mmCIF file of all heavy atoms in Angstrom:
data_model
loop_
_atom_site.group_PDB
_atom_site.id
_atom_site.type_symbol
_atom_site.label_atom_id
_atom_site.label_comp_id
_atom_site.label_asym_id
_atom_site.label_seq_id
_atom_site.Cartn_x
_atom_site.Cartn_y
_atom_site.Cartn_z
ATOM 1 N N LYS U 1 2.172 10.205 13.861
ATOM 2 C CA LYS U 1 2.590 11.059 14.968
ATOM 3 C C LYS U 1 1.533 12.073 15.379
ATOM 4 O O LYS U 1 1.285 12.299 16.556
ATOM 5 C CB LYS U 1 3.886 11.779 14.574
ATOM 6 C CG LYS U 1 4.542 12.548 15.699
ATOM 7 C CD LYS U 1 5.884 13.102 15.242
ATOM 8 C CE LYS U 1 6.569 13.852 16.370
ATOM 9 N NZ LYS U 1 7.886 14.402 15.939
ATOM 10 N N THR U 2 0.896 12.746 14.418
ATOM 11 C CA THR U 2 -0.043 13.814 14.730
ATOM 12 C C THR U 2 -1.328 13.634 13.937
ATOM 13 O O THR U 2 -1.401 12.839 12.993
ATOM 14 C CB THR U 2 0.550 15.196 14.382
ATOM 15 O OG1 THR U 2 0.797 15.257 12.963
ATOM 16 C CG2 THR U 2 1.854 15.430 15.129
ATOM 17 N N LYS U 3 -2.346 14.395 14.299
ATOM 18 C CA LYS U 3 -3.607 14.367 13.566
ATOM 19 C C LYS U 3 -3.408 14.868 12.148
ATOM 20 O O LYS U 3 -4.027 14.357 11.198
ATOM 21 C CB LYS U 3 -4.649 15.220 14.301
ATOM 22 C CG LYS U 3 -6.025 15.172 13.660
ATOM 23 C CD LYS U 3 -7.034 15.983 14.459
ATOM 24 C CE LYS U 3 -8.402 15.921 13.804
ATOM 25 N NZ LYS U 3 -9.408 16.719 14.570
ATOM 26 N N ALA U 4 -2.540 15.878 11.980
ATOM 27 C CA ALA U 4 -2.262 16.391 10.633
ATOM 28 C C ALA U 4 -1.582 15.337 9.776
ATOM 29 O O ALA U 4 -1.694 15.358 8.541
ATOM 30 C CB ALA U 4 -1.393 17.640 10.718
ATOM 31 N N GLY U 5 -0.871 14.402 10.412
ATOM 32 C CA GLY U 5 -0.213 13.343 9.665
ATOM 33 C C GLY U 5 -1.191 12.333 9.093
ATOM 34 O O GLY U 5 -0.835 11.576 8.181
ATOM 35 N N GLN U 6 -2.409 12.293 9.622
ATOM 36 C CA GLN U 6 -3.440 11.415 9.071
ATOM 37 C C GLN U 6 -4.021 12.086 7.826
ATOM 38 O O GLN U 6 -4.826 13.002 7.934
ATOM 39 C CB GLN U 6 -4.537 11.161 10.101
ATOM 40 C CG GLN U 6 -4.051 10.511 11.376
ATOM 41 C CD GLN U 6 -5.171 10.332 12.389
ATOM 42 O OE1 GLN U 6 -6.336 10.554 12.092
ATOM 43 N NE2 GLN U 6 -4.809 9.924 13.592
ATOM 44 N N ARG U 7 -3.603 11.629 6.663
ATOM 45 C CA ARG U 7 -3.987 12.295 5.428
ATOM 46 C C ARG U 7 -4.264 11.287 4.334
ATOM 47 O O ARG U 7 -3.792 10.145 4.386
ATOM 48 C CB ARG U 7 -2.880 13.255 4.982
ATOM 49 C CG ARG U 7 -1.511 12.596 4.791
ATOM 50 C CD ARG U 7 -0.412 13.621 4.896
ATOM 51 N NE ARG U 7 0.916 13.119 4.532
ATOM 52 C CZ ARG U 7 1.715 12.461 5.361
ATOM 53 N NH1 ARG U 7 1.305 12.205 6.599
ATOM 54 N NH2 ARG U 7 2.913 12.059 4.964
ATOM 55 N N ASP U 8 -5.030 11.713 3.357
ATOM 56 C CA ASP U 8 -5.369 10.893 2.199
ATOM 57 C C ASP U 8 -4.698 11.503 0.979
ATOM 58 O O ASP U 8 -4.842 12.700 0.703
ATOM 59 C CB ASP U 8 -6.887 10.842 2.000
ATOM 60 C CG ASP U 8 -7.607 10.270 3.216
ATOM 61 O OD1 ASP U 8 -7.039 9.374 3.853
ATOM 62 O OD2 ASP U 8 -8.724 10.738 3.521
ATOM 63 N N LEU U 9 -3.992 10.665 0.232
ATOM 64 C CA LEU U 9 -3.245 11.130 -0.930
ATOM 65 C C LEU U 9 -3.700 10.370 -2.169
ATOM 66 O O LEU U 9 -4.056 9.184 -2.077
ATOM 67 C CB LEU U 9 -1.741 10.909 -0.712
ATOM 68 C CG LEU U 9 -1.137 11.630 0.498
ATOM 69 C CD1 LEU U 9 0.308 11.185 0.708
ATOM 70 C CD2 LEU U 9 -1.213 13.135 0.324
ATOM 71 N N PRO U 10 -3.683 11.011 -3.323
ATOM 72 C CA PRO U 10 -4.089 10.312 -4.553
ATOM 73 C C PRO U 10 -3.071 9.252 -4.944
ATOM 74 O O PRO U 10 -1.863 9.440 -4.801
ATOM 75 C CB PRO U 10 -4.156 11.445 -5.587
ATOM 76 C CG PRO U 10 -3.252 12.506 -5.057
ATOM 77 C CD PRO U 10 -3.348 12.432 -3.569
ATOM 78 N N LEU U 11 -3.581 8.143 -5.447
ATOM 79 C CA LEU U 11 -2.720 7.057 -5.902
ATOM 80 C C LEU U 11 -2.334 7.347 -7.352
ATOM 81 O O LEU U 11 -3.034 6.964 -8.293
ATOM 82 C CB LEU U 11 -3.452 5.719 -5.789
ATOM 83 C CG LEU U 11 -2.649 4.457 -6.136
ATOM 84 C CD1 LEU U 11 -1.433 4.326 -5.227
ATOM 85 C CD2 LEU U 11 -3.539 3.226 -6.013
ATOM 86 N N ILE U 12 -1.217 8.058 -7.530
ATOM 87 C CA ILE U 12 -0.799 8.465 -8.871
ATOM 88 C C ILE U 12 -0.192 7.293 -9.627
ATOM 89 O O ILE U 12 0.107 6.247 -9.054
ATOM 90 C CB ILE U 12 0.190 9.648 -8.796
ATOM 91 C CG1 ILE U 12 1.382 9.300 -7.909
ATOM 92 C CG2 ILE U 12 -0.504 10.898 -8.283
ATOM 93 C CD1 ILE U 12 2.377 10.421 -7.772
ATOM 94 N N GLY U 13 -0.005 7.472 -10.924
ATOM 95 C CA GLY U 13 0.343 6.383 -11.824
ATOM 96 C C GLY U 13 1.543 5.554 -11.417
ATOM 97 O O GLY U 13 1.470 4.319 -11.346
ATOM 98 N N LEU U 14 2.681 6.195 -11.168
ATOM 99 C CA LEU U 14 3.886 5.442 -10.821
ATOM 100 C C LEU U 14 3.697 4.637 -9.537
ATOM 101 O O LEU U 14 4.143 3.486 -9.444
ATOM 102 C CB LEU U 14 5.074 6.408 -10.667
ATOM 103 C CG LEU U 14 5.607 7.049 -11.942
ATOM 104 C CD1 LEU U 14 6.707 8.053 -11.610
ATOM 105 C CD2 LEU U 14 6.143 5.981 -12.891
ATOM 106 N N ALA U 15 3.026 5.242 -8.554
ATOM 107 C CA ALA U 15 2.789 4.530 -7.300
ATOM 108 C C ALA U 15 1.849 3.352 -7.518
ATOM 109 O O ALA U 15 2.047 2.263 -6.956
ATOM 110 C CB ALA U 15 2.215 5.490 -6.257
ATOM 111 N N ARG U 16 0.818 3.538 -8.328
ATOM 112 C CA ARG U 16 -0.118 2.451 -8.615
ATOM 113 C C ARG U 16 0.597 1.270 -9.278
ATOM 114 O O ARG U 16 0.360 0.107 -8.953
ATOM 115 C CB ARG U 16 -1.251 2.954 -9.500
ATOM 116 C CG ARG U 16 -2.272 1.889 -9.879
ATOM 117 C CD ARG U 16 -3.282 2.447 -10.854
ATOM 118 N NE ARG U 16 -4.184 3.387 -10.203
ATOM 119 C CZ ARG U 16 -5.321 3.031 -9.619
ATOM 120 N NH1 ARG U 16 -5.686 1.738 -9.586
ATOM 121 N NH2 ARG U 16 -6.102 3.945 -9.067
ATOM 122 N N GLU U 17 1.506 1.577 -10.209
ATOM 123 C CA GLU U 17 2.216 0.519 -10.935
ATOM 124 C C GLU U 17 3.058 -0.338 -9.999
ATOM 125 O O GLU U 17 3.014 -1.570 -10.058
ATOM 126 C CB GLU U 17 3.095 1.139 -12.019
ATOM 127 C CG GLU U 17 2.329 1.742 -13.182
ATOM 128 C CD GLU U 17 3.259 2.379 -14.192
ATOM 129 O OE1 GLU U 17 4.501 2.204 -14.048
ATOM 130 O OE2 GLU U 17 2.768 3.060 -15.103
ATOM 131 N N VAL U 18 3.834 0.315 -9.128
ATOM 132 C CA VAL U 18 4.727 -0.470 -8.267
ATOM 133 C C VAL U 18 3.932 -1.246 -7.220
ATOM 134 O O VAL U 18 4.303 -2.369 -6.852
ATOM 135 C CB VAL U 18 5.784 0.436 -7.597
ATOM 136 C CG1 VAL U 18 6.694 1.067 -8.631
ATOM 137 C CG2 VAL U 18 5.146 1.504 -6.722
ATOM 138 N N LEU U 19 2.826 -0.669 -6.723
ATOM 139 C CA LEU U 19 2.019 -1.393 -5.743
ATOM 140 C C LEU U 19 1.288 -2.557 -6.394
ATOM 141 O O LEU U 19 1.119 -3.625 -5.785
ATOM 142 C CB LEU U 19 1.036 -0.429 -5.065
ATOM 143 C CG LEU U 19 1.671 0.613 -4.140
ATOM 144 C CD1 LEU U 19 0.619 1.568 -3.591
ATOM 145 C CD2 LEU U 19 2.420 -0.054 -2.992
ATOM 146 N N HIS U 20 0.840 -2.380 -7.653
ATOM 147 C CA HIS U 20 0.231 -3.494 -8.381
ATOM 148 C C HIS U 20 1.243 -4.609 -8.599
ATOM 149 O O HIS U 20 0.912 -5.799 -8.528
ATOM 150 C CB HIS U 20 -0.300 -3.015 -9.732
ATOM 151 C CG HIS U 20 -1.750 -2.648 -9.702
ATOM 152 N ND1 HIS U 20 -2.716 -3.501 -9.210
ATOM 153 C CD2 HIS U 20 -2.414 -1.527 -10.114
ATOM 154 C CE1 HIS U 20 -3.909 -2.927 -9.310
ATOM 155 N NE2 HIS U 20 -3.741 -1.715 -9.853
ATOM 156 N N ALA U 21 2.492 -4.210 -8.850
ATOM 157 C CA ALA U 21 3.525 -5.218 -9.075
ATOM 158 C C ALA U 21 3.752 -6.061 -7.827
ATOM 159 O O ALA U 21 4.031 -7.267 -7.914
ATOM 160 C CB ALA U 21 4.820 -4.542 -9.490
ATOM 161 N N ILE U 22 3.622 -5.437 -6.642
ATOM 162 C CA ILE U 22 3.775 -6.181 -5.389
ATOM 163 C C ILE U 22 2.559 -7.061 -5.152
ATOM 164 O O ILE U 22 2.668 -8.234 -4.767
ATOM 165 C CB ILE U 22 3.969 -5.216 -4.205
ATOM 166 C CG1 ILE U 22 5.228 -4.374 -4.396
ATOM 167 C CG2 ILE U 22 4.054 -5.981 -2.888
ATOM 168 C CD1 ILE U 22 5.410 -3.318 -3.333
ATOM 169 N N ALA U 23 1.384 -6.514 -5.399
ATOM 170 C CA ALA U 23 0.144 -7.219 -5.080
ATOM 171 C C ALA U 23 -0.266 -8.208 -6.153
ATOM 172 O O ALA U 23 -1.171 -9.013 -5.936
ATOM 173 C CB ALA U 23 -0.980 -6.201 -4.863
ATOM 174 N N GLY U 24 0.384 -8.153 -7.308
ATOM 175 C CA GLY U 24 -0.053 -8.987 -8.408
ATOM 176 C C GLY U 24 -1.182 -8.302 -9.133
ATOM 177 O O GLY U 24 -1.154 -7.093 -9.359
ATOM 178 N N GLU U 25 -2.210 -9.000 -9.478
ATOM 179 C CA GLU U 25 -3.360 -8.395 -10.138
ATOM 180 C C GLU U 25 -4.115 -7.527 -9.140
ATOM 181 O O GLU U 25 -4.016 -7.684 -7.932
ATOM 182 C CB GLU U 25 -4.276 -9.485 -10.685
ATOM 183 C CG GLU U 25 -3.617 -10.336 -11.766
ATOM 184 C CD GLU U 25 -4.566 -11.361 -12.310
ATOM 185 O OE1 GLU U 25 -5.703 -11.435 -11.802
ATOM 186 O OE2 GLU U 25 -4.165 -12.091 -13.219
ATOM 187 N N ALA U 26 -4.897 -6.600 -9.669
ATOM 188 C CA ALA U 26 -5.663 -5.693 -8.811
ATOM 189 C C ALA U 26 -6.517 -6.496 -7.843
ATOM 190 O O ALA U 26 -7.325 -7.323 -8.264
ATOM 191 C CB ALA U 26 -6.553 -4.791 -9.668
ATOM 192 N N PRO U 27 -6.355 -6.307 -6.558
ATOM 193 C CA PRO U 27 -7.069 -7.132 -5.579
ATOM 194 C C PRO U 27 -8.536 -6.760 -5.475
ATOM 195 O O PRO U 27 -8.922 -5.621 -5.705
ATOM 196 C CB PRO U 27 -6.334 -6.817 -4.269
ATOM 197 C CG PRO U 27 -5.828 -5.425 -4.474
ATOM 198 C CD PRO U 27 -5.499 -5.317 -5.932
ATOM 199 N N ALA U 28 -9.310 -7.728 -5.148
ATOM 200 C CA ALA U 28 -10.720 -7.469 -4.879
ATOM 201 C C ALA U 28 -10.846 -6.845 -3.499
ATOM 202 O O ALA U 28 -9.969 -6.997 -2.650
ATOM 203 C CB ALA U 28 -11.494 -8.789 -4.940
ATOM 204 N N PRO U 29 -11.929 -6.110 -3.268
ATOM 205 C CA PRO U 29 -12.105 -5.483 -1.948
ATOM 206 C C PRO U 29 -12.039 -6.528 -0.836
ATOM 207 O O PRO U 29 -12.658 -7.586 -0.906
ATOM 208 C CB PRO U 29 -13.497 -4.843 -2.048
ATOM 209 C CG PRO U 29 -13.705 -4.633 -3.525
ATOM 210 C CD PRO U 29 -13.011 -5.773 -4.200
ATOM 211 N N GLY U 30 -11.270 -6.243 0.151
ATOM 212 C CA GLY U 30 -11.143 -7.137 1.295
ATOM 213 C C GLY U 30 -10.196 -8.288 1.085
ATOM 214 O O GLY U 30 -10.091 -9.182 1.928
ATOM 215 N N ALA U 31 -9.487 -8.277 -0.058
ATOM 216 C CA ALA U 31 -8.590 -9.401 -0.323
ATOM 217 C C ALA U 31 -7.382 -9.387 0.592
ATOM 218 O O ALA U 31 -6.781 -10.414 0.856
ATOM 219 C CB ALA U 31 -8.145 -9.376 -1.782
ATOM 220 N N PHE U 32 -6.985 -8.176 1.042
ATOM 221 C CA PHE U 32 -5.818 -8.067 1.912
ATOM 222 C C PHE U 32 -6.260 -7.728 3.324
ATOM 223 O O PHE U 32 -7.239 -7.025 3.552
ATOM 224 C CB PHE U 32 -4.869 -6.983 1.401
ATOM 225 C CG PHE U 32 -4.180 -7.367 0.121
ATOM 226 C CD1 PHE U 32 -4.593 -6.832 -1.078
ATOM 227 C CD2 PHE U 32 -3.139 -8.274 0.130
ATOM 228 C CE1 PHE U 32 -3.962 -7.182 -2.249
ATOM 229 C CE2 PHE U 32 -2.509 -8.634 -1.041
ATOM 230 C CZ PHE U 32 -2.918 -8.086 -2.241
ATOM 231 N N SER U 33 -5.497 -8.195 4.279
ATOM 232 C CA SER U 33 -5.766 -7.885 5.677
ATOM 233 C C SER U 33 -5.029 -6.611 6.050
ATOM 234 O O SER U 33 -4.630 -5.838 5.190
ATOM 235 C CB SER U 33 -5.299 -9.043 6.564
ATOM 236 O OG SER U 33 -3.899 -9.185 6.473
ATOM 237 N N ASP U 34 -4.834 -6.429 7.338
ATOM 238 C CA ASP U 34 -4.096 -5.262 7.800
ATOM 239 C C ASP U 34 -2.593 -5.473 7.705
ATOM 240 O O ASP U 34 -1.820 -4.742 8.315
ATOM 241 C CB ASP U 34 -4.459 -4.943 9.254
ATOM 242 C CG ASP U 34 -5.846 -4.359 9.358
ATOM 243 O OD1 ASP U 34 -6.435 -4.080 8.305
ATOM 244 O OD2 ASP U 34 -6.335 -4.201 10.484
ATOM 245 N N GLY U 35 -2.147 -6.459 6.949
ATOM 246 C CA GLY U 35 -0.732 -6.731 6.813
ATOM 247 C C GLY U 35 -0.001 -5.585 6.149
ATOM 248 O O GLY U 35 -0.572 -4.811 5.377
ATOM 249 N N LEU U 36 1.302 -5.472 6.428
ATOM 250 C CA LEU U 36 2.115 -4.400 5.879
ATOM 251 C C LEU U 36 2.410 -4.656 4.408
ATOM 252 O O LEU U 36 2.550 -5.799 3.960
ATOM 253 C CB LEU U 36 3.423 -4.297 6.668
ATOM 254 C CG LEU U 36 3.289 -3.954 8.158
ATOM 255 C CD1 LEU U 36 4.643 -4.033 8.837
ATOM 256 C CD2 LEU U 36 2.684 -2.564 8.336
ATOM 257 N N VAL U 37 2.543 -3.577 3.658
ATOM 258 C CA VAL U 37 2.863 -3.680 2.241
ATOM 259 C C VAL U 37 4.305 -4.145 2.057
ATOM 260 O O VAL U 37 4.597 -5.014 1.231
ATOM 261 C CB VAL U 37 2.632 -2.327 1.533
ATOM 262 C CG1 VAL U 37 3.122 -2.383 0.083
ATOM 263 C CG2 VAL U 37 1.157 -1.951 1.581
ATOM 264 N N PHE U 38 5.213 -3.559 2.842
ATOM 265 C CA PHE U 38 6.635 -3.875 2.693
ATOM 266 C C PHE U 38 7.069 -4.784 3.842
ATOM 267 O O PHE U 38 7.056 -4.378 5.010
ATOM 268 C CB PHE U 38 7.461 -2.584 2.678
ATOM 269 C CG PHE U 38 7.046 -1.632 1.589
ATOM 270 C CD1 PHE U 38 6.353 -0.465 1.898
ATOM 271 C CD2 PHE U 38 7.316 -1.921 0.269
ATOM 272 C CE1 PHE U 38 5.967 0.406 0.902
ATOM 273 C CE2 PHE U 38 6.920 -1.056 -0.739
ATOM 274 C CZ PHE U 38 6.251 0.112 -0.428
ATOM 275 N N MET U 39 7.423 -5.994 3.472
ATOM 276 C CA MET U 39 7.812 -7.000 4.452
ATOM 277 C C MET U 39 9.186 -7.556 4.090
ATOM 278 O O MET U 39 9.641 -7.463 2.947
ATOM 279 C CB MET U 39 6.795 -8.149 4.472
ATOM 280 C CG MET U 39 5.357 -7.717 4.711
ATOM 281 S SD MET U 39 5.014 -7.305 6.422
ATOM 282 C CE MET U 39 4.993 -8.940 7.151
ATOM 283 N N SER U 40 9.836 -8.125 5.072
ATOM 284 C CA SER U 40 11.114 -8.788 4.825
ATOM 285 C C SER U 40 10.866 -10.135 4.145
ATOM 286 O O SER U 40 9.726 -10.604 4.052
ATOM 287 C CB SER U 40 11.869 -8.988 6.139
ATOM 288 O OG SER U 40 11.182 -9.911 6.964
ATOM 289 N N GLN U 41 11.918 -10.762 3.675
ATOM 290 C CA GLN U 41 11.770 -12.054 3.022
ATOM 291 C C GLN U 41 11.231 -13.113 3.966
ATOM 292 O O GLN U 41 10.597 -14.076 3.537
ATOM 293 C CB GLN U 41 13.125 -12.506 2.460
ATOM 294 C CG GLN U 41 13.637 -11.621 1.326
ATOM 295 C CD GLN U 41 14.970 -12.103 0.780
ATOM 296 O OE1 GLN U 41 15.587 -13.006 1.334
ATOM 297 N NE2 GLN U 41 15.403 -11.495 -0.323
ATOM 298 N N GLY U 42 11.454 -12.897 5.253
ATOM 299 C CA GLY U 42 10.929 -13.840 6.236
ATOM 300 C C GLY U 42 9.509 -13.552 6.641
ATOM 301 O O GLY U 42 8.972 -14.230 7.532
ATOM 302 N N GLY U 43 8.892 -12.523 6.036
ATOM 303 C CA GLY U 43 7.514 -12.192 6.354
ATOM 304 C C GLY U 43 7.355 -11.326 7.579
ATOM 305 O O GLY U 43 6.281 -11.281 8.189
ATOM 306 N N HIS U 44 8.416 -10.636 7.957
ATOM 307 C CA HIS U 44 8.358 -9.762 9.127
ATOM 308 C C HIS U 44 8.429 -8.297 8.698
ATOM 309 O O HIS U 44 8.778 -7.983 7.552
ATOM 310 C CB HIS U 44 9.511 -10.080 10.082
ATOM 311 C CG HIS U 44 9.553 -11.498 10.533
ATOM 312 N ND1 HIS U 44 8.617 -12.042 11.384
ATOM 313 C CD2 HIS U 44 10.418 -12.511 10.234
ATOM 314 C CE1 HIS U 44 8.899 -13.318 11.612
ATOM 315 N NE2 HIS U 44 9.992 -13.619 10.916
#
């Protein structure tokens, strides 16, 4: 929404764990595209 909303936050432990669980093993740089992290079962 705003310029102030553009922010960088540390990837703390609990967040890292759940995102790793979605992504599988730690991805290599560039392994993912601009796709959304949270998708429906149909891929939308």
Side-chain angles (χ1 to χ4, degrees):
K1 188 174 181 180
T2 62
K3 184 178 180 180
Q6 300 178 8
R7 57 202 189 276
D8 301 325
L9 300 173
L11 184 60
I12 55 181
L14 289 176
R16 179 185 288 271
E17 290 178 8
V18 296
L19 291 176
H20 265 308
I22 299 175
E25 296 182 357
F32 290 103
S33 64
D34 287 352
L36 298 174
V37 173
F38 303 107
M39 305 284 287
S40 67
Q41 294 181 352
H44 303 290

